[in-house]
Amino acid sequence: MTETHPDQRVAVLVDSQNLYHSSQSAYSRNIDYSALLEEAVRDRALVRAIAYVIRADSPEEETFFEALNEIGFETKIKAIKTFADGTKKADWDVGMSLDAVSLASHADTVVLCTGDGDFARLCTYLRHEGVRVETMGFGQSTADELVEAADEFVDLSEREDRFLL
């Protein structure tokens, strides 16, 4: 496992939908994105911080997107797709994975803020490429395979006072 050091270049990728649903179902509270970013970067050099968000046309979402920008996140926004049968789908798994692979040559560490086990394969790939992978999520809703595939896992539920508003 590669250790952390101040000269490391860090890319932080946040699966906002995943964290939102996890924090809402477990605590009925929102994420403190400022604390999340601070913990992800620690004393290292931030290369990029991207929050992947879904546009659901709710009144407060523009304020939320602006707040993310002020904290230091670049936002990538995708609209919810509604299918003929009424089901809705929106996820950023492929976009987030492609960005992680693209950023791998510009970062020493990639921090994935999600509990989604679909990213375990991405962790394995990035580590094979020599990139340190850290994941941050709520332990009770984070897939075991994601925790196992990363160099380090930060369980947000162990410090809910810091990571929740």
Side-chain angles (χ1 to χ4, degrees):
M1 171 164 79
T2 4
E3 295 305 312
T4 65
H5 57 81
D7 296 333
Q8 272 179 344
R9 299 163 304 158
V10 180
V12 181
L13 307 181
V14 180
D15 182 350
S16 297
Q17 285 301 104
N18 180 277
L19 291 186
Y20 172 80
H21 289 294
S22 297
S23 66
Q24 285 298 314
S25 67
Y27 306 100
S28 302
R29 290 167 69 188
N30 290 320
I31 302 287
D32 182 338
Y33 279 86
S34 189
L36 186 75
L37 184 59
E38 190 178 296
E39 178 68 24
V41 177
R42 294 182 221 158
D43 60 350
R44 302 171 292 185
L46 179 64
V47 175
R48 293 249 323 258
I50 306 171
Y52 299 84
V53 296
I54 304 299
R55 183 179 300 286
D57 293 321
S58 63
E60 68 283 347
E61 70 186 6
E62 285 308 318
T63 311
F64 171 61
F65 298 161
E66 285 167 21
L68 286 172
N69 290 140
E70 285 168 22
I71 290 165
F73 284 99
E74 171 187 334
T75 52
K76 292 203 175 182
I77 304 168
K78 184 182 277 192
I80 287 182
K81 287 188 181 118
T82 305
F83 296 96
D85 65 359
T87 57
K88 295 176 189 268
K89 179 163 174 39
D91 75 53
W92 269 107
D93 291 12
V94 173
M96 205 167 139
S97 295
L98 285 170
D99 285 349
V101 169
S102 301
L103 286 166
S105 60
H106 306 285
D108 302 302
T109 300
V110 171
V111 183
L112 300 173
C113 302
T114 184
D116 188 339
D118 289 345
F119 290 108
R121 179 73 188 90
L122 173 65
C123 292
T124 305
Y125 172 80
L126 291 171
R127 289 178 70 194
H128 179 76
E129 293 298 305
V131 176
R132 177 182 167 82
V133 180
E134 298 168 4
T135 55
M136 298 175 73
F138 293 94
Q140 67 272 32
S141 57
T142 296
D144 292 340
E145 61 266 34
L146 182 66
V147 174
E148 290 159 16
D151 288 295
E152 182 182 344
F153 172 66
V154 175
D155 186 346
L156 302 176
S157 54
E158 289 178 357
R159 297 186 13 232
E160 59 188 80
D161 56 315
R162 172 152 162 73
F163 298 114
L164 295 171
L165 297 171

